[in-house]
Amino acid sequence: MKRKDIDMRIVAESLTGIIERLTLTKLFKGIKTPEDLPHLFLCKMINKISTQ
């Protein structure tokens, strides 16, 4: 779905927040490695999109 009415600044801030949260809750606590974060990030995004 493509939406033209979404403010890209909000999208950018949201993505930054997601990455920060994954870094704080998974990487810094030693639960995941830096190599795991992109996969985890993409899985969360796909799951979120597919449930809408």
Side-chain angles (χ1 to χ4, degrees):
M1 172 189 333
K2 188 174 183 180
R3 298 200 35 189
K4 295 179 181 182
D5 60 332
I6 296 177
D7 186 343
M8 286 296 116
R9 290 176 291 191
I10 292 173
V11 173
E13 289 290 332
S14 297
L15 291 173
T16 301
I18 292 167
I19 294 167
E20 285 178 353
R21 182 153 177 95
L22 286 174
T23 300
L24 292 171
T25 61
K26 305 297 183 195
L27 183 63
F28 288 168
K29 291 184 177 183
I31 297 170
K32 298 289 181 183
T33 65
E35 293 80 17
D36 294 332
L37 288 186
H39 181 261
L40 184 62
F41 174 75
L42 291 175
C43 286
K44 297 278 186 192
M45 291 293 291
I46 290 169
N47 287 339
K48 185 71 173 172
I49 292 169
S50 66
T51 59
Q52 292 181 353

